């Protein structure tokens, strides 16, 4: 009796294995090539051209200044220094312009672009925004900024690597820093700005009537003198 029971269990197990193998074979052969591609993950070791270039890039240190408060008549300079040979802390000490000193470590290519942008600022680049990067010497960028309006305004610093892909130079954004600058206006400056921005209205509402009154008065005096 025990022998028959063991044989029955063995047959059932074998039958279950055969069903599983048959189902797996049907599933893999029944799927369309598109479905098989979608369900098969790409091998982790396969990297594209961009990935290979990014992996091969060296790390460098950067430091720049970011003033927190400026006057609307000020034109401060923003200074950015990049180096593959010096630390972030050492670069911070090399910054000569006013403001908080900010540093970071980023990937660096042979050619880098640094761009400063901000809608509420007039920005003038003092140095070329695209520069070749030395492995020994510092690479420096500078901009002069002038605020257009009072208030809290954002300034953006974007560092971009220029990569050679298929014989073409292609930009790849590496890091963007966003800083808020408080633009202050004194009371005297507010009065000056009011007259500057509303001179046409002031001319029509005040100066023209006054000029008319003076002309009428002068005309009356001339009439009295003639009589």
């Amino acid at each position: 009796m025990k022998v028959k029971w063991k044989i029955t269990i063995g047959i059932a197990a074998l039958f279950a294995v055969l069903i599983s193998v048959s189902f797996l074979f049907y599933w893999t052969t029944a799927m369309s090539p598109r479905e098989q591609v979608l369900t098969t993950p790409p091998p982790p070791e396969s990297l594209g051209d961009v990935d290979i270039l990014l992996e091969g890039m060296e790390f460098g240190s950067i430091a720049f200044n970011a003033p927190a408060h400026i006057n609307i008549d000020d034109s401060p300079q923003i200074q950015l220094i990049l180096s593959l040979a010096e630390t972030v802390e050492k670069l911070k000490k090399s910054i000569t312009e006013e403001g908080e000193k900010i540093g970071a470590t980023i990937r660096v290519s042979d050619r880098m672009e640094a761009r400063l942008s901000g809608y509420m600022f007039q920005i003038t680049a003092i140095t070329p925004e695209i520069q070749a990067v030395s492995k020994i010497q510092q690479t420096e960028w500078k901009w002069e900024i002038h605020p257009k309006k009072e208030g809290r305004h954002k300034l953006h610093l974007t560092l971009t690597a220029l990569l050679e892909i298929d014989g073409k130079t292609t930009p790849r954004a590496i890091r963007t820093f966003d800083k808020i600058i408080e633009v202050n206006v004194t009371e005297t400056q507010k009065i000056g700005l009011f007259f500057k921005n509303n001179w046409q209205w002031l001319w029509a509402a005040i100066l023209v009537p006054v000029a008319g009154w003076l002309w009428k008065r002068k005309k009356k005096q001339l009439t009295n003198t003639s009589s």
Side-chain angles (χ1 to χ4, degrees):
M1 192 69 179
K2 290 182 180 180
V3 174
K4 290 182 178 182
W5 178 252
K6 290 181 180 180
I7 294 173
T8 303
I9 293 175
I11 293 173
L14 180 61
F15 186 73
V17 171
L18 291 174
I19 291 177
S20 300
V21 172
S22 300
F23 180 80
L24 181 61
F25 177 79
Y26 172 79
W27 178 259
T28 55
T29 56
M31 284 194 304
S32 66
R34 174 178 172 81
E35 290 173 331
Q36 293 184 27
V37 170
L38 292 176
T39 56
T40 304
E45 65 274 6
S46 63
L47 297 175
D49 293 340
V50 176
D51 301 304
I52 293 173
L53 289 173
L54 291 175
E55 287 293 328
M57 288 167 59
E58 298 184 59
F59 283 95
S61 303
I62 63 166
F64 62 93
N65 64 302
H69 304 274
I70 62 174
N71 185 268
I72 196 167
D73 287 339
D74 291 342
S75 297
Q77 290 188 5
I78 305 299
Q79 180 185 13
L80 166 67
I81 301 177
L82 181 152
S83 174
L84 277 71
E86 299 175 88
T87 64
V88 170
E89 293 304 317
K90 188 172 182 179
L91 290 184
K92 285 183 179 180
K93 296 177 182 178
S94 300
I95 299 294
T96 57
E97 299 299 329
E98 297 294 328
E100 178 188 2
K101 308 301 186 294
I102 300 169
T105 300
I106 65 168
R107 289 189 180 273
V108 179
S109 65
D110 292 338
R111 286 192 300 160
M112 295 288 293
E113 178 183 23
R115 179 165 295 180
L116 197 65
S117 60
Y119 178 73
M120 295 308 298
F121 294 92
Q122 178 183 327
I123 301 172
T124 303
I126 300 173
T127 59
E129 292 187 311
I130 297 177
Q131 294 193 45
V133 176
S134 169
K135 292 188 177 183
I136 301 174
Q137 299 179 4
Q138 294 181 351
T139 306
E140 182 183 40
W141 288 265
K142 268 191 176 184
W143 302 265
E144 184 176 270
I145 65 172
H146 185 78
K148 298 178 182 179
K149 190 177 180 181
E150 178 187 12
R152 290 167 56 85
H153 308 307
K154 280 188 177 182
L155 200 61
H156 315 282
L157 175 60
T158 303
L159 291 137
T160 302
L162 301 178
L163 307 177
E164 289 294 329
I165 301 175
D166 296 331
K168 296 181 180 179
T169 300
T170 306
R172 169 77 182 189
I174 300 297
R175 185 81 180 268
T176 298
F177 299 88
D178 301 315
K179 299 300 295 182
I180 294 178
I181 298 179
E182 181 80 34
V183 180
N184 303 315
V185 179
T186 64
E187 294 299 325
T188 303
Q189 289 173 327
K190 287 181 180 179
I191 295 173
L193 287 172
F194 176 78
F195 280 98
K196 180 180 178 181
N197 296 329
N198 298 280
W199 67 270
Q200 293 176 324
W201 175 83
L202 291 171
W203 173 263
I206 299 175
L207 298 180
V208 171
V210 169
W213 178 79
L214 291 173
W215 169 251
K216 289 180 180 179
R217 183 179 179 183
K218 183 68 174 178
K219 188 177 181 181
K220 185 176 180 181
Q221 289 175 353
L222 291 172
T223 303
N224 293 336
T225 302
S226 300
S227 59

